[in-house]
Amino acid sequence: MGNNIIELKNVTYEYTEDETVHTAVNNVSLGIEKGSWTVILGHNGSGKSTIMKLLMGLYKPDSGNIYINDIDINDLDTDNYLKLIS
């Protein structure tokens, strides 16, 4: 998509609670360009906080990828990345 962008491509995240698998985020794709405003809006339990935790690298997607300037966040140095977003 180009430089200066955060991009989620087909991201899914699931968690298990009481032996039941719950899908918090299902096949989400979006791009956020530098300098733009993006609103993530939804009801309680719709995945807003999960998306933020995925972007911060606190959660890893079960499928799909997250990119910062076309670089998969899994390929970035975790400590440096956390410093940049904190």
Side-chain angles (χ1 to χ4, degrees):
M1 251 187 147
N3 288 334
N4 297 314
I5 193 163
I6 298 170
E7 187 174 17
L8 284 80
K9 287 187 179 180
N10 306 313
V11 171
T12 296
Y13 178 80
E14 298 176 330
Y15 66 95
T16 303
E17 181 178 62
D18 298 328
E19 298 182 21
T20 303
V21 176
H22 301 275
T23 302
V25 174
N26 187 25
N27 200 34
V28 171
S29 295
L30 73 100
I32 304 169
E33 293 186 36
K34 181 179 180 181
S36 69
W37 287 77
T38 301
V39 176
I40 300 175
L41 181 69
H43 295 285
N44 287 346
S46 63
K48 303 175 304 290
S49 296
T50 301
I51 288 173
M52 296 309 299
K53 290 174 183 176
L54 286 160
L55 288 172
M56 291 186 290
L58 300 175
Y59 291 173
K60 301 291 183 199
D62 291 303
S63 64
N65 299 85
I66 301 171
Y67 300 93
I68 307 293
N69 297 333
D70 295 325
I71 301 170
D72 191 310
I73 65 169
N74 293 314
D75 296 335
L76 298 172
D77 178 73
T78 303
D79 289 335
N80 287 336
Y81 181 67
L82 290 175
K83 288 177 186 174
L84 288 172
I85 63 171
S86 63

